[in-house]
Amino acid sequence: MTQLNIDDLNRAEHPLDVVERLASLRDWIFDRAETDEMSVAVAGRWAEYHVAFTWIEDVEALHVASAFDLKVPDRRRNEVLRLVSLVNEQLWVGHFDLWNSEHVVMFRHALLLTGGAEPTHGQCETMLKTAVEACERYFQAFQFVIWAGKTAREALDAVLFETEGEA
């Protein structure tokens, strides 16, 4: 296997500085307690999402994660995993995981910035938008499985059901 040699390149600014500046410009509520981690609060239709941005130096990636405020009980774990699999088949960007240590469903995606590439405001805004839109679109499906005892297929079909015309 070829060994990758990623040089330690000096960046003009920390990638999270771009996200922080964007959050300030958009009047988003955010917290940056550490150099490589930042969270942004976004009010959605179904919940308030806490979207975490993390700079992962080892692979030069800007990672975004948004967890649902839904605890997955052990008795529904397998059905939630089936739903995660079905939902991920629908996604072009990012994916959902079941974070075992916290028993929560999480959307994740990463922007690779190898070789010293700088993130743009547009890329960072799209990362946040993509995370929130995915959470908004599938939040109810996870609720249906966890709280209503629906199967993964029933829950997904319910949230993907689109009406046409007007009543």
Coordinates of all heavy atoms in Angstrom, one line a residue, residues 84-118:
V84 N -31.8 3.6 9.5 CA -30.6 4.3 9.1 C -30.1 3.8 7.7 O -29.7 4.6 6.8 CB -29.5 4.1 10.2 CG1 -28.1 4.5 9.6 CG2 -29.8 4.9 11.4
S85 N -30.1 2.5 7.5 CA -29.7 1.9 6.3 C -30.6 2.4 5.1 O -30.1 2.8 4.0 CB -29.7 0.4 6.4 OG -29.3 -0.2 5.1
L86 N -31.9 2.4 5.3 CA -32.8 2.8 4.3 C -32.7 4.3 3.9 O -32.7 4.7 2.8 CB -34.3 2.5 4.7 CG -34.7 1.0 4.7 CD1 -36.1 0.9 5.4 CD2 -34.6 0.4 3.3
V87 N -32.5 5.1 5.0 CA -32.4 6.5 4.8 C -31.1 6.8 4.0 O -31.0 7.6 3.1 CB -32.4 7.3 6.1 CG1 -31.9 8.7 6.0 CG2 -33.8 7.2 6.7
N88 N -30.0 6.1 4.4 CA -28.7 6.4 3.8 C -28.7 6.1 2.3 O -28.0 6.7 1.5 CB -27.6 5.6 4.5 CG -27.2 6.3 5.8 OD1 -27.5 7.4 6.0 ND2 -26.5 5.5 6.6
E89 N -29.6 5.1 1.9 CA -29.7 4.8 0.4 C -30.3 6.0 -0.3 O -30.1 6.2 -1.5 CB -30.7 3.6 0.2 CG -30.1 2.3 0.7 CD -31.1 1.2 0.5 OE1 -32.2 1.4 0.0 OE2 -30.7 0.1 0.9
Q90 N -31.0 6.9 0.4 CA -31.7 8.1 -0.2 C -30.7 9.3 -0.3 O -31.0 10.2 -1.1 CB -32.9 8.5 0.6 CG -33.9 7.4 0.9 CD -34.6 7.0 -0.4 OE1 -35.1 7.8 -1.1 NE2 -34.7 5.7 -0.6
L91 N -29.7 9.3 0.4 CA -28.8 10.5 0.5 C -27.7 10.4 -0.5 O -27.0 9.4 -0.8 CB -28.2 10.5 1.9 CG -29.2 10.7 3.1 CD1 -28.4 10.6 4.4 CD2 -30.0 12.0 3.0
W92 N -27.4 11.6 -1.1 CA -26.3 11.8 -2.0 C -25.1 12.3 -1.2 O -23.9 12.0 -1.6 CB -26.6 12.8 -3.1 CG -27.5 12.2 -4.1 CD1 -28.9 12.2 -4.1 CD2 -27.2 11.5 -5.3 NE1 -29.4 11.5 -5.2 CE2 -28.3 11.1 -6.0 CE3 -25.9 11.1 -5.9 CZ2 -28.3 10.4 -7.2 CZ3 -25.9 10.4 -7.1 CH2 -27.1 10.1 -7.7
V93 N -25.3 13.0 -0.2 CA -24.2 13.6 0.6 C -24.4 13.4 2.0 O -25.5 13.5 2.6 CB -24.2 15.2 0.3 CG1 -23.1 15.8 1.2 CG2 -23.9 15.5 -1.1
G94 N -23.4 12.9 2.7 CA -23.5 12.6 4.2 C -24.2 11.3 4.4 O -24.6 10.6 3.5
H95 N -24.3 11.0 5.7 CA -24.9 9.8 6.1 C -25.4 9.9 7.6 O -24.9 10.7 8.3 CB -24.0 8.6 6.0 CG -22.8 8.6 6.9 ND1 -21.7 9.4 6.7 CD2 -22.6 8.0 8.1 CE1 -20.8 9.3 7.7 NE2 -21.4 8.4 8.5
F96 N -26.3 9.0 8.0 CA -26.7 8.9 9.3 C -26.0 7.7 10.0 O -25.7 6.7 9.4 CB -28.3 8.7 9.4 CG -29.0 9.9 9.2 CD1 -29.5 10.3 8.0 CD2 -29.3 10.8 10.3 CE1 -30.3 11.4 7.8 CE2 -30.0 12.0 10.1 CZ -30.5 12.3 8.9
D97 N -25.8 7.8 11.3 CA -25.2 6.8 12.1 C -26.0 6.7 13.4 O -26.7 7.6 13.8 CB -23.8 7.1 12.6 CG -22.7 7.0 11.5 OD1 -22.9 6.1 10.7 OD2 -21.8 7.8 11.5
L98 N -25.9 5.5 14.1 CA -26.4 5.4 15.4 C -25.2 5.5 16.3 O -24.3 4.6 16.3 CB -27.2 4.1 15.6 CG -27.7 3.8 17.0 CD1 -28.6 5.0 17.5 CD2 -28.4 2.5 17.1
W99 N -25.1 6.5 17.1 CA -24.0 6.7 18.0 C -24.2 5.9 19.2 O -25.0 6.3 20.1 CB -23.8 8.2 18.3 CG -22.6 8.6 19.0 CD1 -21.4 7.9 19.1 CD2 -22.4 9.9 19.7 NE1 -20.5 8.7 19.8 CE2 -21.0 9.8 20.1 CE3 -23.2 11.0 19.9 CZ2 -20.5 10.9 20.9 CZ3 -22.6 12.0 20.6 CH2 -21.3 12.0 21.1
N100 N -23.5 4.8 19.3 CA -23.8 3.8 20.4 C -23.6 4.3 21.8 O -24.3 4.0 22.7 CB -23.0 2.5 20.1 CG -23.6 1.7 19.0 OD1 -24.8 1.6 18.8 ND2 -22.7 1.1 18.2
S101 N -22.5 5.1 22.0 CA -22.2 5.5 23.4 C -23.3 6.4 24.0 O -23.5 6.4 25.2 CB -20.9 6.2 23.4 OG -20.9 7.4 22.7
E102 N -24.0 7.1 23.1 CA -25.0 8.1 23.6 C -26.4 7.6 23.2 O -27.4 8.2 23.6 CB -24.8 9.5 23.0 CG -23.5 10.1 23.4 CD -23.4 10.4 24.9 OE1 -24.4 10.8 25.5 OE2 -22.3 10.2 25.5
H103 N -26.6 6.6 22.4 CA -27.8 6.0 21.9 C -28.6 7.1 21.2 O -29.9 7.2 21.3 CB -28.7 5.5 23.1 CG -28.0 4.4 23.8 ND1 -27.9 3.1 23.4 CD2 -27.3 4.4 25.0 CE1 -27.2 2.4 24.2 NE2 -26.8 3.1 25.2
V104 N -28.0 7.8 20.3 CA -28.6 8.9 19.5 C -28.3 8.7 18.0 O -27.2 8.2 17.7 CB -28.3 10.3 20.0 CG1 -28.8 10.6 21.4 CG2 -26.8 10.6 19.8
V105 N -29.2 9.1 17.2 CA -29.0 9.1 15.7 C -28.3 10.4 15.4 O -28.6 11.5 15.9 CB -30.3 9.0 15.0 CG1 -30.1 9.1 13.5 CG2 -31.0 7.7 15.4
M106 N -27.3 10.3 14.5 CA -26.5 11.5 14.1 C -26.3 11.5 12.6 O -26.0 10.5 12.0 CB -25.2 11.4 14.8 CG -24.2 12.5 14.5 SD -22.6 12.2 15.2 CE -23.0 12.2 16.9
F107 N -26.4 12.7 12.0 CA -26.1 13.0 10.6 C -24.6 13.4 10.6 O -24.2 14.3 11.4 CB -26.9 14.0 10.0 CG -26.5 14.3 8.6 CD1 -27.0 13.6 7.5 CD2 -25.7 15.4 8.3 CE1 -26.6 13.8 6.2 CE2 -25.2 15.7 7.0 CZ -25.7 14.9 6.0
R108 N -23.8 12.9 9.7 CA -22.4 13.3 9.6 C -22.0 13.4 8.1 O -22.5 12.8 7.2 CB -21.5 12.2 10.2 CG -21.8 12.0 11.6 CD -21.1 10.8 12.3 NE -20.1 10.2 11.5 CZ -18.9 9.8 12.0 NH1 -18.6 9.9 13.2 NH2 -18.0 9.2 11.2
H109 N -21.0 14.3 8.0 CA -20.5 14.6 6.6 C -19.1 15.3 6.9 O -18.9 15.9 7.9 CB -21.4 15.5 5.8 CG -20.9 15.8 4.5 ND1 -20.5 14.9 3.5 CD2 -20.6 17.0 3.9 CE1 -20.1 15.5 2.4 NE2 -20.1 16.8 2.6
A110 N -18.2 15.2 5.9 CA -16.9 15.8 6.0 C -16.5 16.5 4.7 O -16.8 15.9 3.6 CB -15.8 14.8 6.4
L111 N -15.8 17.6 4.8 CA -15.2 18.3 3.6 C -13.7 18.1 3.7 O -13.1 18.6 4.7 CB -15.6 19.8 3.7 CG -15.0 20.7 2.6 CD1 -15.5 20.3 1.3 CD2 -15.3 22.1 3.0
L112 N -13.2 17.4 2.7 CA -11.7 17.2 2.7 C -11.0 18.4 2.2 O -11.4 18.9 1.1 CB -11.4 16.0 1.9 CG -11.9 14.6 2.4 CD1 -11.6 13.5 1.4 CD2 -11.4 14.3 3.8
L113 N -10.0 18.9 2.9 CA -9.3 20.1 2.5 C -7.8 19.8 2.4 O -6.9 20.5 2.9 CB -9.6 21.2 3.5 CG -11.0 21.6 3.6 CD1 -11.3 22.5 4.8 CD2 -11.4 22.4 2.3
T114 N -7.5 18.6 1.9 CA -6.1 18.1 1.8 C -5.2 19.1 1.0 O -5.7 19.7 0.0 CB -6.1 16.7 1.1 OG1 -7.1 15.9 1.8 CG2 -4.8 16.1 1.1
G115 N -4.0 19.1 1.4 CA -3.0 20.0 0.7 C -3.1 21.4 1.0 O -2.6 22.3 0.3
G116 N -3.8 21.8 2.1 CA -3.9 23.2 2.5 C -5.0 23.9 1.9 O -5.1 25.2 2.0
A117 N -6.0 23.2 1.2 CA -7.1 23.9 0.7 C -7.9 24.7 1.7 O -8.0 24.2 2.9 CB -8.0 22.9 0.0
E118 N -8.4 25.8 1.4 CA -9.2 26.6 2.3 C -10.7 26.5 2.1 O -11.1 26.5 0.9 CB -8.8 28.1 2.1 CG -7.3 28.4 2.2 CD -6.9 28.5 3.7 OE1 -7.7 28.6 4.6 OE2 -5.7 28.5 3.9

